Amino acid sequence: MFDVIVAGGGPTGLMLAAELRLHDVLVLVLEKRDEPTNESRGQGLHARSVEMMDQRGMLDRFLAVSEKFQVGGLFGGIMKPWPERLDTAHPYGVAAPQPVTERLLNERALELGTEIRRGHEVVGLRQDEDGVTVELADGTELRSRYLVGCDGGRSAVRKLIGVDFPGEPATVETLLGDMEVTADPETIAAAVEEVRKTQLRFGVTPGENGVCRIVVPADGVAEDRAAPTLDEFRQQLRAFAGTDFGVHSPRWLSRFGDATRQAERYRVGRVFLAGDAAHIHPPTGGQGLNLGIQDAFNLGWKLAAEVAGWAPEGLLDTYEAERRPAGRRVVENTRAQMTLLGTDAGATALRELFSKLMDFEEVNRYVTGMITAVDVRYDLGEGHELLGLRMRDVALKRGRLYELMRGGRGLLLDQTGRLSVGGWADRVDHVVDVSEELDVPAVLLRPDGHVVWVGEDRQELHGRLGEWFGAATG
Ligand SMILES: Cc1cc2nc3c(=O)[nH]c(=O)nc-3n(C[C@H](O)[C@H](O)[C@H](O)COP(=O)(O)OP(=O)(O)OC[C@H]3O[C@@H](n4cnc5c(N)ncnc54)[C@H](O)[C@@H]3O)c2cc1C
């Protein structure tokens, strides 16, 4: 019997598996595809995901193969300079195409001892008091204590547990593909500039080896969801730009819509939903992959605590309580972005106004904080302004905070030297050090870096430790 079966080996499932393996959870990833994807969907990691990679010692691997980018706003096609004073020590994104992110996460999950079975599709499940029986397409049955559906927007797991997925179906579709062109770069740039004056769902971005990433609105919404043909691209490019740029030799052709939905629940008994299985929305702002791995970062340590037997009552329920509002915020901001991306006179005027508003530093900071998810605050009640936020990286006298979080344990950062983690030392590290960037006596961080306590009162601290890390031992 496995502790946890993860259905789906996309970014969310792989991130979750690695988080679980940090705590020796016996985890199996079941992935329908035989081979990893080469689809260039997600274009990179935003600042909060960059921070997470740093917290787990993964950032250097991303930076070795990807460039940093610094774009503020990134809202409804509007880009601004990076805002001043955004609360992060990592004020940038990392331009890693989705196949690179998946390769690095896959590598790490394997290094940590995850078993990944490819070519295995989940088609059925039933749960009882002790666990979940998972049925595969070839008729095999497997048992685990918990199951997490990370199986994408059309999640079989979500349907099998009967969770509704309310929202709106696609009203527009966009063609996306990687292919070669014969037109010269100057002609392409001039045509793109002209079209984008009114249509922001249009772009030709030169990539490696002469392959361009082409984005162009489709002619309506395809009922059958079939991959588009190269001729469809040619036709739509001509319709918008008056030329098809001589596109040829496609590497990958796809279409995506603006369907926007969120699962009504993220948990039914022993089964959880994460990533696109729990929420879908248009790719504006490049948030979907990020949101999925952030779900995994939230769920991983909680599920591991439950498996290890020290989770306080209700800990697993905080996953839905925290991540559903975070997902809702993204779903809502993509709805707003789609309105801003309209081509009618009203949308154009709104975009101009919104662009001017984003020239105000505070507005730019607010929007960038939202898109990059560095401002996500979980509702942990009244208290210090840091409570519920994730703690940014800070320089310490001996090293820096994020370097101390590699093991995915709780952490008490104690500038007083008078505190202790008592009977929680097997789950929580006690670091006595000082930082010029931190003006509070001590903070208690969960394994995902969110602040659950600020202060210097030992009794209050032990109350909080019990609330988040279960009963003390010894
Ligand atoms: C055009 C486009 C551009 C995008 N750009 C960005 C961007 O710039 N930034 C960003 O953050 N996001 C972006 N996204 C969104 C991002 O691609 C998704 O949000 C992300 O892939 C979700 O990851 P996931 O692991 O939750 O799901 P998926 O990537 O869909 O992975 C699910 C996995 O589960 C497997 N699976 C499915 N069913 C089963 C089953 N029954 N049994 C076993 N396995 C199964 C699938 O084969 C797949 O490997 C973009 C999306 C699109 C379409």
Side-chain angles (χ1 to χ4, degrees):
M1 171 132 152
F2 292 93
D3 293 324
V4 179
I5 290 182
V6 176
T12 306
L14 293 169
M15 184 76 190
L16 178 64
E19 284 297 294
L20 291 166
R21 283 304 303 153
L22 279 179
H23 305 279
D24 288 332
V25 172
L26 195 57
V27 55
L28 171 68
V29 176
L30 296 170
E31 167 54 50
K32 178 167 84 169
R33 294 175 205 243
D34 293 319
E35 297 295 332
T37 171
N38 65 347
E39 296 175 0
S40 61
R41 292 193 285 159
Q43 291 301 293
L45 302 180
H46 281 308
R48 176 59 191 131
S49 306
V50 171
E51 290 181 344
M52 288 175 358
M53 294 308 156
D54 189 20
Q55 284 169 331
R56 295 298 185 258
M58 283 282 289
L59 185 55
D60 288 348
R61 295 191 199 187
F62 277 91
L63 292 177
V65 290
S66 332
E67 300 289 320
K68 291 180 181 178
F69 68 87
Q70 250 196 346
V71 183
L74 209 66
F75 198 82
I78 302 165
M79 295 185 199
K80 295 287 169 184
W82 188 266
E84 288 164 21
R85 292 184 288 113
L86 190 72
D87 178 36
T88 177
H90 293 287
Y92 57 88
V94 170
Q98 188 155 341
V100 170
T101 299
E102 292 194 22
R103 176 168 59 76
L104 295 177
L105 293 177
N106 190 68
E107 209 174 271
R108 171 164 162 91
L110 288 174
E111 277 167 19
L112 290 167
T114 307
E115 183 178 348
I116 302 176
R117 295 188 195 164
R118 293 193 170 273
H120 285 67
E121 182 181 358
V122 173
V123 295
L125 70 92
R126 40 181 204 281
Q127 48 177 327
D128 52 49
E129 260 183 30
D130 307 316
V132 188
T133 303
V134 177
E135 193 191 319
L136 303 183
D138 66 3
T140 316
E141 288 196 341
L142 296 163
R143 277 287 280 175
S144 61
R145 292 175 64 187
Y146 295 94
L147 170 70
V148 188
C150 301
D151 50 345
R154 292 173 201 153
S155 170
V157 172
R158 188 186 64 237
K159 291 172 194 149
L160 289 164
I161 53 174
V163 168
D164 276 351
F165 205 35
E168 304 91 53
T171 55
V172 291
E173 253 178 13
T174 309
L175 306 182
L176 165 70
D178 294 333
M179 60 203 83
E180 293 179 43
V181 295
T182 54
D184 60 83
E186 292 73 31
T187 310
I188 296 175
V192 170
E193 192 185 334
E194 189 54 34
V195 178
R196 282 183 63 87
K197 282 181 185 160
T198 50
Q199 178 51 268
L200 288 168
R201 290 191 294 121
F202 184 92
V204 181
T205 316
E208 282 173 14
N209 308 322
V211 176
C212 290
R213 184 181 221 230
I214 297 202
V215 187
V216 58
D219 184 18
V221 175
E223 291 298 319
D224 58 3
R225 289 175 175 155
T229 59
L230 187 59
D231 273 342
E232 216 172 324
F233 272 84
R234 288 191 176 117
Q235 179 195 312
Q236 290 310 102
L237 286 169
R238 279 188 222 120
F240 282 89
T243 165
D244 62 16
F245 304 116
V247 290
H248 65 97
S249 311
R251 306 293 196 275
W252 172 66
L253 304 176
S254 74
R255 65 174 84 240
F256 62 89
D258 62 342
T260 307
R261 299 179 181 278
Q262 189 177 24
E264 244 166 13
R265 299 173 65 184
Y266 278 22
R267 175 187 188 182
V268 175
R270 293 177 168 274
V271 184
F272 295 80
L273 298 172
D276 275 18
H279 35 70
I280 55 165
H281 49 79
T284 39
Q287 302 166 90
L289 180 154
N290 287 271
L291 188 61
I293 58 180
Q294 287 155 20
D295 285 347
F297 211 59
N298 183 290
L299 180 59
W301 71 274
K302 295 174 182 173
L303 209 43
E306 190 69 30
V307 168
W310 59 256
E313 208 182 322
L315 182 69
L316 273 184
D317 289 327
T318 65
Y319 168 64
E320 175 175 317
E322 293 174 351
R323 292 309 298 170
R324 209 166 168 277
R328 182 166 180 76
R329 197 163 173 238
V330 173
V331 161
E332 294 295 3
N333 86 40
T334 55
R335 282 189 175 117
Q337 291 189 69
M338 286 311 283
T339 301
L340 280 182
L341 282 171
T343 51
D344 57 80
T348 307
L350 193 59
R351 199 161 55 238
E352 268 169 33
L353 176 63
F354 205 86
S355 175
K356 287 194 180 114
L357 288 175
M358 275 210 275
D359 288 334
F360 289 98
E361 195 58 28
E362 214 166 316
V363 177
N364 188 7
R365 187 160 52 245
Y366 177 83
V367 173
T368 309
M370 176 173 66
I371 295 290
T372 58
V374 297
D375 70 353
V376 169
R377 177 199 290 275
Y378 299 140
D379 183 5
L380 305 186
E382 296 288 301
H384 192 276
E385 60 181 15
L386 284 175
L387 198 65
L389 277 177
R390 66 82 185 91
M391 175 96 192
R392 63 176 283 167
D393 192 21
V394 291
L396 303 169
K397 214 166 173 189
R398 297 182 295 271
R400 57 188 185 89
L401 178 66
Y402 280 12
E403 284 171 348
L404 304 170
M405 305 187 75
R406 304 276 147 96
R409 291 159 51 84
L411 189 144
L412 172 67
L413 178 57
D414 175 8
Q415 300 202 92
T416 72
R418 292 192 304 272
L419 297 167
S420 97
V421 291
W424 290 273
D426 56 342
R427 284 150 271 172
V428 180
D429 293 327
H430 180 196
V431 176
V432 179
D433 206 334
V434 291
S435 171
E436 282 178 8
E437 298 168 58
L438 192 59
D439 61 0
V440 294
V443 282
L444 177 63
L445 307 181
R446 309 192 311 195
D448 59 1
H450 282 259
V451 177
V452 292
W453 176 80
V454 180
E456 54 189 329
D457 183 292
R458 194 183 257 250
Q459 219 174 348
E460 205 183 273
L461 166 65
H462 285 197
R464 271 292 150 135
L465 280 163
E467 209 175 295
W468 287 100
F469 295 96
T473 51

